[in-house]
Amino acid sequence: MFTITTPRLNLQPTHKNCWSICDQNSQDLLGKVFFHNNWFNIILKPKSLHLGVATEAGYGLIKALNSQTVKAKSDLPHARLYLKNMGFKQVDNHFEVTPEDLQFPDLYLRLNQQLGINIKEVKAPQYPTATQIVDAGMDFFNRPIKLHPAAKKAWQSMQQAAQADGIQLMPVSAYRSLNYQAELIQKKLDQGQTLDEILRVNTPPGHSEHHTGCALDLTTDGENQVLESGFSDTDAYAWLQKNARDYGFVESYPENNPHGIIAEPWHWCFNSKKQHSTLF
């Protein structure tokens, strides 16, 4: 047995026929994958569901082992759909696939093609989807938000520190899936906006920091409008400029940023490498 590396994951052998699925950066345990006598099984922690972790881990394992035929069985609708999307075919009461027929559903390419976006012309970096997200409270509109666990901890510390200084910070948007990002753009296209206009405000699916679970759009009390340039004139923005870096948050899109995005003083992203050494 050997360690298997994928773009976001490390599959580390723990005992015979079993690998631990770990986040490549944090090494947090996300689940387990089993392979015995050509039978394949995968179990994920709730915080890693619906983030493409199962697909990436399963694809990586099967390709690395290069077994002639891989089998799996499930009566759960979402698990059966997962197998079918990866190229498994039903045989009697189970599913089978060979490494040659195995597929990796590329949501990034499909969504951008559907929207008519040429990804070769996108200036903004491509960001990996979070491998784990957790509930992180409610936003300005009383909607539930989710964040990466480390970002949640840093955000709560920063929000409490701001409040102690008399500054109210409120989230407007946090984690977004690739599908959600595509829906935002499609809605604007349906309203008659051009793609060039939209992409100055919204990055294409796969290019939003919100996919990482570490980005927050923020507002403050007394604001009639959210996600407006006037946020840069608030006491909240001044507080963030002075203090956010101590909690690992940076302003991603200042004036004249190199990504072709308008200035977004409300958009701040957590980067654990920039966090204050005493936070965690």
Side-chain angles (χ1 to χ4, degrees):
M1 293 179 64
F2 49 91
T3 297
I4 300 167
T5 300
T6 70
R8 296 183 298 165
L9 310 173
N10 282 332
L11 276 58
Q12 302 171 353
T14 53
H15 57 270
K16 189 176 181 180
N17 308 318
C18 176
W19 284 259
S20 291
I21 305 169
C22 299
D23 182 283
Q24 196 177 105
N25 293 319
S26 67
Q27 293 305 307
D28 290 342
L29 179 65
L30 309 176
K32 299 276 188 179
V33 60
F34 305 88
F35 189 78
H36 180 59
N37 290 338
N38 285 20
W39 284 88
F40 161 78
N41 188 33
I42 186 168
I43 300 173
L44 292 183
K45 292 189 173 184
K47 63 184 179 181
S48 295
L49 294 174
H50 312 301
L51 298 173
V53 174
T55 299
E56 191 170 324
Y59 184 88
L61 177 75
I62 294 170
K63 279 293 187 182
L65 297 180
N66 200 29
S67 179
Q68 187 172 6
T69 302
V70 177
K71 302 176 183 180
K73 183 178 180 180
S74 179
D75 294 325
L76 299 174
H78 72 274
R80 295 167 71 92
L81 179 61
Y82 160 74
L83 293 171
K84 290 177 180 179
N85 286 341
M86 290 184 64
F88 281 77
K89 304 297 183 183
Q90 188 160 2
V91 178
D92 298 326
N93 65 342
H94 67 277
F95 294 84
E96 293 184 2
V97 74
T98 63
E100 293 75 23
D101 294 331
L102 188 68
Q103 301 174 20
F104 188 89
D106 197 330
L107 189 61
Y108 171 71
L109 287 177
R110 179 167 63 83
L111 290 176
N112 281 290
Q113 287 173 352
Q114 289 175 352
L115 292 167
I117 296 172
N118 184 352
I119 57 176
K120 294 181 180 179
E121 297 179 354
V122 178
K123 295 180 181 179
Q126 187 176 354
Y127 295 100
T129 304
T131 61
Q132 49 185 326
I133 53 171
V134 293
D135 292 332
M138 309 299 284
D139 71 4
F140 179 78
F141 300 103
N142 205 33
R143 303 171 301 189
I145 62 170
K146 293 182 181 291
L147 286 170
H148 185 281
K152 173 187 174 180
K153 187 175 181 180
W155 156 243
Q156 290 179 336
S157 295
M158 184 171 74
Q159 187 183 38
Q160 290 167 8
Q163 189 169 12
D165 289 340
I167 300 295
Q168 187 74 17
L169 295 177
M170 293 174 284
V172 178
S173 182
Y175 167 77
R176 295 181 199 157
S177 67
L178 270 72
N179 278 315
Y180 186 89
Q181 193 74 8
E183 290 169 3
L184 287 177
I185 294 173
Q186 187 60 57
K187 183 177 180 179
K188 291 185 177 183
L189 287 171
D190 294 342
Q191 292 171 345
Q193 296 187 41
T194 68
L195 198 55
D196 286 343
E197 291 172 335
I198 297 168
L199 294 182
R200 282 190 54 78
V201 180
N202 297 108
T203 51
H207 293 267
S208 172
E209 285 187 329
H210 288 284
H211 300 324
T212 68
C214 292
L216 282 164
D217 291 339
L218 299 174
T219 189
T220 189
D221 55 349
E223 288 290 289
N224 294 322
Q225 300 290 328
V226 298
L227 309 187
E228 297 286 349
S229 59
F231 182 70
S232 62
D233 297 323
T234 64
D235 291 339
Y237 179 72
W239 189 94
L240 287 165
Q241 282 195 310
K242 182 179 179 181
N243 299 286
R245 193 170 289 265
D246 290 340
Y247 299 88
F249 284 89
V250 296
E251 183 180 0
S252 301
Y253 304 115
E255 292 281 357
N256 302 315
N257 66 81
H259 306 308
I261 303 295
I262 61 168
E264 295 188 353
W266 58 83
H267 181 103
W268 295 77
C269 192
F270 173 72
N271 183 335
S272 60
K273 295 179 181 178
K274 297 182 184 297
Q275 70 192 26
H276 193 278
S277 59
T278 62
L279 259 184
F280 302 106

PDB file of all heavy atoms in Angstrom, residues 161-180:
ATOM      1  N   ALA A 161     -13.800  40.705  17.993  1.00  0.00           N
ATOM      2  CA  ALA A 161     -12.852  41.785  18.262  1.00  0.00           C
ATOM      3  C   ALA A 161     -13.386  43.114  17.728  1.00  0.00           C
ATOM      4  O   ALA A 161     -13.256  44.166  18.379  1.00  0.00           O
ATOM      5  CB  ALA A 161     -11.503  41.460  17.632  1.00  0.00           C
ATOM      6  N   ALA A 162     -13.980  43.075  16.540  1.00  0.00           N
ATOM      7  CA  ALA A 162     -14.554  44.295  15.976  1.00  0.00           C
ATOM      8  C   ALA A 162     -15.689  44.810  16.859  1.00  0.00           C
ATOM      9  O   ALA A 162     -15.792  46.018  17.130  1.00  0.00           O
ATOM     10  CB  ALA A 162     -15.058  44.026  14.561  1.00  0.00           C
ATOM     11  N   GLN A 163     -16.534  43.899  17.319  1.00  0.00           N
ATOM     12  CA  GLN A 163     -17.654  44.287  18.167  1.00  0.00           C
ATOM     13  C   GLN A 163     -17.166  44.924  19.466  1.00  0.00           C
ATOM     14  O   GLN A 163     -17.756  45.892  19.964  1.00  0.00           O
ATOM     15  CB  GLN A 163     -18.525  43.066  18.463  1.00  0.00           C
ATOM     16  CG  GLN A 163     -19.839  43.409  19.166  1.00  0.00           C
ATOM     17  CD  GLN A 163     -20.776  42.226  19.202  1.00  0.00           C
ATOM     18  OE1 GLN A 163     -20.397  41.087  18.916  1.00  0.00           O
ATOM     19  NE2 GLN A 163     -22.026  42.473  19.554  1.00  0.00           N
ATOM     20  N   ALA A 164     -16.070  44.405  20.012  1.00  0.00           N
ATOM     21  CA  ALA A 164     -15.501  44.983  21.230  1.00  0.00           C
ATOM     22  C   ALA A 164     -15.019  46.409  20.995  1.00  0.00           C
ATOM     23  O   ALA A 164     -14.957  47.216  21.926  1.00  0.00           O
ATOM     24  CB  ALA A 164     -14.342  44.112  21.722  1.00  0.00           C
ATOM     25  N   ASP A 165     -14.677  46.722  19.741  1.00  0.00           N
ATOM     26  CA  ASP A 165     -14.256  48.074  19.374  1.00  0.00           C
ATOM     27  C   ASP A 165     -15.410  48.922  18.872  1.00  0.00           C
ATOM     28  O   ASP A 165     -15.193  50.027  18.333  1.00  0.00           O
ATOM     29  CB  ASP A 165     -13.171  48.012  18.292  1.00  0.00           C
ATOM     30  CG  ASP A 165     -11.839  47.495  18.829  1.00  0.00           C
ATOM     31  OD1 ASP A 165     -11.636  47.554  20.058  1.00  0.00           O
ATOM     32  OD2 ASP A 165     -11.011  47.038  18.022  1.00  0.00           O
ATOM     33  N   GLY A 166     -16.636  48.424  19.015  1.00  0.00           N
ATOM     34  CA  GLY A 166     -17.809  49.191  18.592  1.00  0.00           C
ATOM     35  C   GLY A 166     -18.106  49.095  17.107  1.00  0.00           C
ATOM     36  O   GLY A 166     -18.861  49.909  16.572  1.00  0.00           O
ATOM     37  N   ILE A 167     -17.544  48.095  16.417  1.00  0.00           N
ATOM     38  CA  ILE A 167     -17.746  47.912  14.976  1.00  0.00           C
ATOM     39  C   ILE A 167     -18.563  46.651  14.737  1.00  0.00           C
ATOM     40  O   ILE A 167     -18.219  45.570  15.213  1.00  0.00           O
ATOM     41  CB  ILE A 167     -16.399  47.798  14.237  1.00  0.00           C
ATOM     42  CG1 ILE A 167     -15.556  49.048  14.441  1.00  0.00           C
ATOM     43  CG2 ILE A 167     -16.625  47.504  12.762  1.00  0.00           C
ATOM     44  CD1 ILE A 167     -16.147  50.306  13.840  1.00  0.00           C
ATOM     45  N   GLN A 168     -19.650  46.795  13.987  1.00  0.00           N
ATOM     46  CA  GLN A 168     -20.489  45.654  13.658  1.00  0.00           C
ATOM     47  C   GLN A 168     -20.129  45.145  12.270  1.00  0.00           C
ATOM     48  O   GLN A 168     -20.278  45.852  11.274  1.00  0.00           O
ATOM     49  CB  GLN A 168     -21.965  46.053  13.696  1.00  0.00           C
ATOM     50  CG  GLN A 168     -22.941  44.902  13.540  1.00  0.00           C
ATOM     51  CD  GLN A 168     -23.047  44.035  14.778  1.00  0.00           C
ATOM     52  OE1 GLN A 168     -22.646  44.441  15.851  1.00  0.00           O
ATOM     53  NE2 GLN A 168     -23.583  42.841  14.622  1.00  0.00           N
ATOM     54  N   LEU A 169     -19.622  43.906  12.186  1.00  0.00           N
ATOM     55  CA  LEU A 169     -19.338  43.267  10.904  1.00  0.00           C
ATOM     56  C   LEU A 169     -20.371  42.180  10.666  1.00  0.00           C
ATOM     57  O   LEU A 169     -20.594  41.332  11.528  1.00  0.00           O
ATOM     58  CB  LEU A 169     -17.936  42.654  10.901  1.00  0.00           C
ATOM     59  CG  LEU A 169     -16.750  43.609  11.006  1.00  0.00           C
ATOM     60  CD1 LEU A 169     -15.445  42.814  11.058  1.00  0.00           C
ATOM     61  CD2 LEU A 169     -16.732  44.591   9.837  1.00  0.00           C
ATOM     62  N   MET A 170     -20.999  42.192   9.480  1.00  0.00           N
ATOM     63  CA  MET A 170     -22.019  41.205   9.158  1.00  0.00           C
ATOM     64  C   MET A 170     -21.731  40.597   7.793  1.00  0.00           C
ATOM     65  O   MET A 170     -21.462  41.321   6.827  1.00  0.00           O
ATOM     66  CB  MET A 170     -23.404  41.866   9.157  1.00  0.00           C
ATOM     67  CG  MET A 170     -23.851  42.344  10.530  1.00  0.00           C
ATOM     68  SD  MET A 170     -25.406  43.259  10.474  1.00  0.00           S
ATOM     69  CE  MET A 170     -24.830  44.833   9.811  1.00  0.00           C
ATOM     70  N   PRO A 171     -21.782  39.264   7.690  1.00  0.00           N
ATOM     71  CA  PRO A 171     -21.528  38.623   6.395  1.00  0.00           C
ATOM     72  C   PRO A 171     -22.707  38.770   5.447  1.00  0.00           C
ATOM     73  O   PRO A 171     -23.865  38.789   5.875  1.00  0.00           O
ATOM     74  CB  PRO A 171     -21.302  37.155   6.771  1.00  0.00           C
ATOM     75  CG  PRO A 171     -22.070  36.974   8.042  1.00  0.00           C
ATOM     76  CD  PRO A 171     -22.010  38.292   8.764  1.00  0.00           C
ATOM     77  N   VAL A 172     -22.406  38.894   4.176  1.00  0.00           N
ATOM     78  CA  VAL A 172     -23.421  38.938   3.132  1.00  0.00           C
ATOM     79  C   VAL A 172     -23.360  37.656   2.298  1.00  0.00           C
ATOM     80  O   VAL A 172     -24.371  37.151   1.831  1.00  0.00           O
ATOM     81  CB  VAL A 172     -23.233  40.169   2.223  1.00  0.00           C
ATOM     82  CG1 VAL A 172     -24.267  40.183   1.102  1.00  0.00           C
ATOM     83  CG2 VAL A 172     -23.311  41.457   3.042  1.00  0.00           C
ATOM     84  N   SER A 173     -22.154  37.129   2.120  1.00  0.00           N
ATOM     85  CA  SER A 173     -21.971  35.907   1.348  1.00  0.00           C
ATOM     86  C   SER A 173     -20.720  35.200   1.846  1.00  0.00           C
ATOM     87  O   SER A 173     -19.747  35.849   2.245  1.00  0.00           O
ATOM     88  CB  SER A 173     -21.844  36.231  -0.150  1.00  0.00           C
ATOM     89  OG  SER A 173     -21.720  35.049  -0.915  1.00  0.00           O
ATOM     90  N   ALA A 174     -20.744  33.873   1.815  1.00  0.00           N
ATOM     91  CA  ALA A 174     -19.587  33.091   2.261  1.00  0.00           C
ATOM     92  C   ALA A 174     -19.311  32.009   1.219  1.00  0.00           C
ATOM     93  O   ALA A 174     -19.094  32.322   0.050  1.00  0.00           O
ATOM     94  CB  ALA A 174     -19.846  32.513   3.642  1.00  0.00           C
ATOM     95  N   TYR A 175     -19.338  30.733   1.614  1.00  0.00           N
ATOM     96  CA  TYR A 175     -19.060  29.655   0.657  1.00  0.00           C
ATOM     97  C   TYR A 175     -20.090  29.648  -0.469  1.00  0.00           C
ATOM     98  O   TYR A 175     -21.289  29.804  -0.241  1.00  0.00           O
ATOM     99  CB  TYR A 175     -19.068  28.290   1.355  1.00  0.00           C
ATOM    100  CG  TYR A 175     -19.105  27.146   0.373  1.00  0.00           C
ATOM    101  CD1 TYR A 175     -17.959  26.762  -0.313  1.00  0.00           C
ATOM    102  CD2 TYR A 175     -20.298  26.480   0.100  1.00  0.00           C
ATOM    103  CE1 TYR A 175     -17.995  25.724  -1.246  1.00  0.00           C
ATOM    104  CE2 TYR A 175     -20.349  25.446  -0.822  1.00  0.00           C
ATOM    105  CZ  TYR A 175     -19.195  25.073  -1.493  1.00  0.00           C
ATOM    106  OH  TYR A 175     -19.242  24.061  -2.418  1.00  0.00           O
ATOM    107  N   ARG A 176     -19.603  29.464  -1.696  1.00  0.00           N
ATOM    108  CA  ARG A 176     -20.477  29.259  -2.853  1.00  0.00           C
ATOM    109  C   ARG A 176     -19.965  28.063  -3.653  1.00  0.00           C
ATOM    110  O   ARG A 176     -18.768  27.920  -3.870  1.00  0.00           O
ATOM    111  CB  ARG A 176     -20.473  30.479  -3.786  1.00  0.00           C
ATOM    112  CG  ARG A 176     -21.031  31.757  -3.216  1.00  0.00           C
ATOM    113  CD  ARG A 176     -20.961  32.829  -4.281  1.00  0.00           C
ATOM    114  NE  ARG A 176     -21.056  34.162  -3.738  1.00  0.00           N
ATOM    115  CZ  ARG A 176     -20.588  35.252  -4.359  1.00  0.00           C
ATOM    116  NH1 ARG A 176     -19.984  35.130  -5.531  1.00  0.00           N
ATOM    117  NH2 ARG A 176     -20.719  36.435  -3.799  1.00  0.00           N
ATOM    118  N   SER A 177     -20.863  27.242  -4.132  1.00  0.00           N
ATOM    119  CA  SER A 177     -20.494  26.132  -4.999  1.00  0.00           C
ATOM    120  C   SER A 177     -20.277  26.636  -6.426  1.00  0.00           C
ATOM    121  O   SER A 177     -20.667  27.759  -6.778  1.00  0.00           O
ATOM    122  CB  SER A 177     -21.589  25.073  -5.002  1.00  0.00           C
ATOM    123  OG  SER A 177     -22.761  25.583  -5.630  1.00  0.00           O
ATOM    124  N   LEU A 178     -19.672  25.805  -7.266  1.00  0.00           N
ATOM    125  CA  LEU A 178     -19.514  26.155  -8.674  1.00  0.00           C
ATOM    126  C   LEU A 178     -20.874  26.342  -9.329  1.00  0.00           C
ATOM    127  O   LEU A 178     -21.064  27.258 -10.142  1.00  0.00           O
ATOM    128  CB  LEU A 178     -18.709  25.078  -9.421  1.00  0.00           C
ATOM    129  CG  LEU A 178     -17.194  25.257  -9.452  1.00  0.00           C
ATOM    130  CD1 LEU A 178     -16.582  24.977  -8.078  1.00  0.00           C
ATOM    131  CD2 LEU A 178     -16.558  24.334 -10.491  1.00  0.00           C
ATOM    132  N   ASN A 179     -21.830  25.478  -8.984  1.00  0.00           N
ATOM    133  CA  ASN A 179     -23.166  25.589  -9.556  1.00  0.00           C
ATOM    134  C   ASN A 179     -23.824  26.912  -9.178  1.00  0.00           C
ATOM    135  O   ASN A 179     -24.474  27.560 -10.012  1.00  0.00           O
ATOM    136  CB  ASN A 179     -24.040  24.425  -9.075  1.00  0.00           C
ATOM    137  CG  ASN A 179     -23.811  23.158  -9.881  1.00  0.00           C
ATOM    138  OD1 ASN A 179     -23.753  23.203 -11.100  1.00  0.00           O
ATOM    139  ND2 ASN A 179     -23.683  22.035  -9.200  1.00  0.00           N
ATOM    140  N   TYR A 180     -23.656  27.325  -7.918  1.00  0.00           N
ATOM    141  CA  TYR A 180     -24.251  28.589  -7.465  1.00  0.00           C
ATOM    142  C   TYR A 180     -23.639  29.767  -8.223  1.00  0.00           C
ATOM    143  O   TYR A 180     -24.350  30.690  -8.639  1.00  0.00           O
ATOM    144  CB  TYR A 180     -24.026  28.746  -5.962  1.00  0.00           C
ATOM    145  CG  TYR A 180     -24.718  29.952  -5.368  1.00  0.00           C
ATOM    146  CD1 TYR A 180     -26.022  29.858  -4.897  1.00  0.00           C
ATOM    147  CD2 TYR A 180     -24.072  31.183  -5.276  1.00  0.00           C
ATOM    148  CE1 TYR A 180     -26.658  30.956  -4.346  1.00  0.00           C
ATOM    149  CE2 TYR A 180     -24.707  32.292  -4.725  1.00  0.00           C
ATOM    150  CZ  TYR A 180     -25.996  32.171  -4.270  1.00  0.00           C
ATOM    151  OH  TYR A 180     -26.627  33.266  -3.736  1.00  0.00           O
TER     152      TYR A 180
END
